[in-house]
Amino acid sequence: MDYIRTKLATDWAKNDAKVVSAAKMLLAFIPKANPGYDKKMHLIREWYVEFDNDGNPWREIGLDEHGAPVVAGPTERDYGFWLDTHMKRGDFEGDVISREMFEQKWQATGVSAPE
């Protein structure tokens, strides 16, 4: 497993998550992969991402400006922002962090690890 912290995808405006067009309203009937993330994306200032041995995102934690967890996935409700991409470890910019650093934040989320 590999762990990083990144500032990618931390520039969401508060209104970015709102449905504003008729087309988006129609798409609202399609189940979303991350309904719990929608109203929180604008709070995220940093991500911790864990990658599996194939370089795929496995777990993620979105942190606010104080380093407190805002979102985490996957959960029963939310698949995960980075997990829902086709990105691999090599596509990410960021600093390597320790497993212990990731796990400390993960424990703070209260989310169970996926199996």
Side-chain angles (χ1 to χ4, degrees), residues 7-112:
K7 302 251 186 229
L8 292 173
T10 59
D11 57 352
W12 295 75
K14 187 170 185 174
N15 293 331
D16 283 350
K18 291 184 179 178
V19 177
V20 291
S21 71
K24 285 185 179 179
M25 288 175 75
L26 291 174
L27 291 174
F29 294 107
I30 300 171
K32 294 181 180 181
N34 301 301
Y37 282 35
D38 284 352
K39 295 181 180 170
K40 298 177 182 177
M41 292 298 284
H42 71 281
L43 300 172
I44 299 171
R45 296 295 173 260
E46 183 172 55
W47 291 93
Y48 282 15
V49 183
E50 175 186 50
F51 298 89
D52 66 16
N53 293 330
D54 293 324
N56 299 304
W58 181 248
R59 291 187 290 171
E60 66 188 30
I61 308 163
L63 305 166
D64 70 11
E65 63 189 52
H66 304 291
V70 175
V71 296
T75 67
E76 287 184 22
R77 182 176 183 204
D78 299 304
Y79 182 67
F81 178 78
W82 294 113
L83 281 68
D84 200 24
T85 70
H86 295 291
M87 293 176 71
K88 295 274 204 174
R89 171 62 182 97
D91 299 319
F92 284 79
E93 298 171 0
D95 299 319
V96 174
I97 60 171
S98 68
R99 178 176 190 252
E100 292 76 22
M101 187 179 224
F102 182 92
E103 292 296 341
Q104 180 183 19
K105 292 292 183 183
W106 185 261
Q107 292 301 316
T109 70
V111 174
S112 299

